[in-house]
Amino acid sequence: MKTDVQRLLPKGVQAVVIALLLLFALAPVLYMLFASVNDDLAVARGGFWPAGFHPANYLRIWDTVALGAGLVNSVLVAGSVAIVSAGVSVATAYVLVRFTFFGRGLILRGLLALQSIPGTLMLLPVFVLFANLARVLGIDTIGTRWALFVTYLTFALPFSTWVMVTYLRGLPPELDEAARLDGASSWRILRSIVIPLSWPGLVVSAIFAFLLGWNDVLFASVITDADTRTAAVALQVFGATQEGGAIPLYGQLMASALICALPVVVLYLAFQRFLVGGLTAGGVK
């Protein structure tokens, strides 16, 4: 009898498989990194290794792409959506998990059903809704950050709430009962017990909501204008202006894409341990 756990693959085969997976995943990133400091003509010819070192591409993009304003808009909108979505979802999930009332099951199934609706189908209704709201109330909607915030929050809340429902089901209800015996209210239990114990789930909900706002191009390109466009839209506009004609500014385009991807990578690295716990919560009962 072998004392070690039997492995599905020998160590040598595992190392080869991991190396191939890393190569497959990192090859596009390395190409973008090399192209961002390469000559545009060399990139157009299909070169992988830099023919020359041009770090000035990372300085020129702030004037060429106007990336600074786009990053500020993306951080403001996506960050506020992440914070509000996490806060609202944990409160909603607490009510759905700890209390029994008429329609509770219907709400849970509705949250799950909302995830099956493609976002592209909602583009025209959302635009018409904001346009009519501006006409009726006499306030600016199209071209504002708050309209984009409301749009992203609407799409982020169902998934965030379902994540928190799954996570809170794993918390022992005896904690609530013990707190109620000491005279704690539902709000005090939520604030002092549930939220401190739900950080992994909150992080997953917040990061999902942040990514929804950070990566979106479809709604942002319709709702925003030149002053409120996000980094993703600014990158799309820059890429569209490089099509046809002279040699595109490949170096600046790749540098812009890397800078836009950097905040997401930092988020994953900073909250990796919370992500693992939040995504696996409720998987084992």
Side-chain angles (χ1 to χ4, degrees), residues 21-33:
L21 291 176
L22 286 175
L23 180 62
F24 182 78
L26 294 179
V29 179
L30 290 176
Y31 177 78
M32 292 175 61
L33 181 61

Side-chain angles (χ1 to χ4, degrees), residues 117-274:
I117 302 177
T120 52
L121 295 181
M122 303 300 296
L123 179 61
L124 182 59
V126 168
F127 180 81
V128 172
L129 178 63
F130 280 121
N132 290 333
L133 188 65
R135 178 176 55 82
V136 173
L137 300 181
I139 58 176
D140 293 331
T141 54
I142 306 299
T144 60
R145 295 189 188 97
W146 72 264
L148 201 59
F149 165 79
V150 172
T151 302
Y152 292 156
L153 186 63
T154 303
F155 290 106
L157 274 177
F159 179 82
S160 298
T161 303
W162 188 258
V163 168
M164 293 310 305
V165 165
T166 305
Y167 190 86
L168 293 185
R169 282 175 176 172
L171 296 181
E174 290 79 11
L175 296 175
D176 295 21
E177 297 171 1
R180 292 190 186 280
L181 290 177
D182 293 335
S185 62
S186 298
W187 169 247
R188 180 65 182 275
I189 294 173
L190 175 64
R191 180 168 52 89
S192 302
I193 298 178
V194 175
I195 292 180
L197 295 176
S198 304
W199 278 113
L202 284 170
V203 169
V204 172
S205 301
I207 289 182
F208 169 80
F210 182 86
L211 291 179
L212 179 66
W214 189 266
N215 296 327
D216 174 70
V217 177
L218 185 64
F219 288 92
S221 60
V222 173
I223 296 177
T224 60
D225 56 18
D227 295 327
T228 58
R229 64 176 49 156
T230 60
V233 177
L235 193 60
Q236 180 202 35
V237 172
F238 178 57
T241 58
Q242 300 301 308
E243 296 178 358
I247 299 176
L249 302 176
Y250 287 116
Q252 296 185 43
L253 185 61
M254 295 300 178
S256 303
L258 286 175
I259 290 178
C260 290
L262 186 59
V264 178
V265 176
V266 173
L267 276 179
Y268 274 113
L269 293 179
F271 298 104
Q272 183 178 11
R273 62 190 183 95
F274 292 105

